[in-house]
Amino acid sequence: MPTERDSREVVEGLLLRPFWRDLPLPVLVITGAPAGRAGQLAERFNGRLPYARPVEGAHRSLANLVDGLAGPKGALGGNRVRNTLLPAPRFPLTEFVLWAWAQRAKERRPEQWPQGERWPPVPDSRHGQEELKQRFSARFGVRPSLKADSRKRWAAGDFLVRAAVFFVPVATVLAWWLDAGITDLIPLAPGLLALLLGAGAIGLQAVRYIRGSAFSRWFRRHRYEDLRRKVGDSRQAYALQLMNAPEPRIELLLVYAMLEDLRQAYRKWPRIPWPSWGRGLYALLVLNTADQCHARFLEVYQEVLHDTGIVPPLLVIAEDPGQPGLTGQPGRTRAGEQPRTVADDVKLWRSRVALRGPEPRLPLASDKLRLTEPYRPRLGKVRVRAVGYWLAMLALLLAPPLAVYGSNWFGCGPGMMRAEQQCVGLGDNLAEIAPHPVLLPILERIKQQNEDIDTRQRVITIFYLGPLTTSHPGDDQVGGSAGELSGIAARQGAYNRLGSWQIKVELANAGQSFRYAKFAADMIRQRAAGDPDVAGVIGLAWSRTETQDAIRVLGDTHIPMLSTTNSADKTPLVYNDRPSPYFFRMAAPNSAQARAFEMWLAHGLPGRKPVDPRRVAVLVESDADDHELYSEDLAEGLAKGPYGSAKPYRFANQDELADKVQLACQEHAEVLLYTGRATYLNTVADTREHQCPDNVQILAGDDVTEKLVELLGREDFTNKPAISFVALNDMRQGQGANRTQTEIESWIESARAKGVSRVHAWLGYDALLAVTSALNKIKASDVDESVNIAESVAYNLRGLGVDGLIQGASGKFYFSEDAESHSALPRGLWLFSTDPAAGSSANGVVSQGGCTVDEKAPGTAELEVKCSFG
């Protein structure tokens, strides 16, 4: 006779759930066995799966038994699987039917029920519906149920987690797609949008499955038509319908609803990663047919399977010691055939089910059972499956945000994020920032100066906000950053040596072309919160909308900002065309430069007569995202004067620029007025050289100054362009023309810095000089440690130098007393042209004159520009 090691191995094989396709499960009826045999067969699986073994004689009816299995405190619903973190099955359908059926009891009749109306009320009873509506709200309302029953809280949390697993990744990707245009500007905006979309979707999903349409749909579609909820019926009307139904029909619906709830708990949703994917064991129910309620349950169970065709994820083991002749006999042993084992019977049953449909009962003679000790279920795969499910869920939750934002969150230190292969934001770790090599010796020297601070004195913090990294090589902005940092560091060292208050310089990387200036400003704002020793921000050299965003953030925080070469008049206009009162400009604005253009054109460029406005072509750079302000602002300033009739030619890249230069020359332009960035200067010069007549001249703004110095200083640069331009510094002077410039040059030499823009260095020095001058005013008063330095600096910068000009590297200056507009005045503008022959003067440039910019009247924002030529 074939033997098997232990019959519980067969039960274990039935309980182990295939990954892809759920199989029908039998009702194992143990015949002729001593009491408790079924329990012995099943007990070892308790705690490892949804398990119930109702006590014999403890239930008065089938409804009472179902309540003990799947009610609010039912065994199946309260049985969590150990070491898997999987939620227990929920039984909302069953609980509703149980609740509705329980309302028909006489003791549930209201005390003030209208005379003449029976209980339970008829389905169309208005009083009955009102009464049931209140009871339904009290029983199934979210807030009361969550307060009263911890299992409800677990259920609600379970649904929220389930919905989050699906909707958070979808919402993240959707938010990123919707917000892709501003991701660079506001890196956290897509995340916030994802949170809002995900929260809304999660809430909708939770309500839908706990109380909404998904809950109601099954009652309208199940197989027992006389017990269906009709379209348009309210929940209370349907509850009244169930209260009036015959008990045998309610018994069918109760068992059917319980099996459907189990099926939903195990359903492998094809699109949504529900926890059912992680369930590796079917539910297990142990009964004894000697109990009338248990026997009735088995009868109804079999009838429901026959009527509905449902395949429940439930293995039932029942003891039936007194009735050996049960239906579903697997077949007798033929003559000469060896007796079958329990495993053989199960295999035969499954083959018949596959061929002919469900035959639930499978009798097993007790003498076939083998129970050996010790027996330990081998369920390691079940835990692996559950852990695998949670790992998959974790991946689904994390992968989309990481794919969208992961590069921003990792690889950089606190206060920074990763964008375009750069660490942008606020940080002091040079290894994490990975600055441009040109800046590294300067930054290392600043770090050393910070470490050398005398901490016995009050330490005042200055932030440098500018590009420390680039996303592509050969960028023109690095020389400007090197200059600003050199000037700031030179002034830091000189001021700290005085032995009084100390200046500490912290770095805020705005990234390539200031694209992440707002993020850097946000980090400064967070860093400065609650710190009274923050004095201000220096840098903000480029005229872009990102710089405006940063100015708005810092201005709202009342932190003064001193820009170096940011010249666009639009830059500080961040409050509905009103300027930020915390923005202080060190360079002459574009409006003054436009006026210098007009005077120079009216006087005549080198070797020429005054130029007719109709013969001037204004080349205006307009980037695709409209973030660039410098060129548009300069062109608008020119359009307000006598050369407003000059024709503009707009371009977004060097190919468009070459085409516009050629077109302007074909339309008989005599002057190409280039207002764009230095990046495209070579294109202008080359196209003019080869596509334009010899009489066409180039006139450019201050942004090209450093580029021309670089080009003219290169030995391999033979085709030197003839260009007239406006500069913010006097290029005829040698480096160190005044004592402050000499101080800066000494610092640059000691730091072994290369590629330093002198105009940026002078203006950077003077910006910190203005701050330290304001600090001296603060120190002169009786100041305590709680005084907010930033607001005090802003207050003292306004009108600084009016009573006695500040002697700076860029010349003498003061700040206007105007309430809103603050520009360092007087400022100089120098007019130069390059000498094609080269070598005729320093740097290959020839002076053509200069302009002085100052207030028209003290305390006003209006400027007066006076120029001289020759």
Side-chain angles (χ1 to χ4, degrees), residues 631-651:
S631 183
E632 290 277 1
D633 187 79
L634 187 55
E636 288 178 11
L638 192 70
K640 296 176 182 178
Y643 281 83
S645 59
K647 183 177 180 180
Y649 294 81
R650 300 184 182 277
F651 66 93

Side-chain angles (χ1 to χ4, degrees), residues 85-87 153-169 202-203 205-206 210 272-275 389-390 393-394 396-397:
L85 298 178
L86 294 173
R153 292 192 291 269
W154 274 104
D158 170 33
F159 267 93
L160 293 180
V161 171
R162 296 182 188 196
V165 166
F166 176 67
F167 282 108
V168 167
I202 289 167
Q205 184 77 345
I210 293 174
I272 303 176
W274 239 228
Y389 162 77
W390 287 115
M393 296 308 97
L394 185 63
L396 284 173
L397 282 170

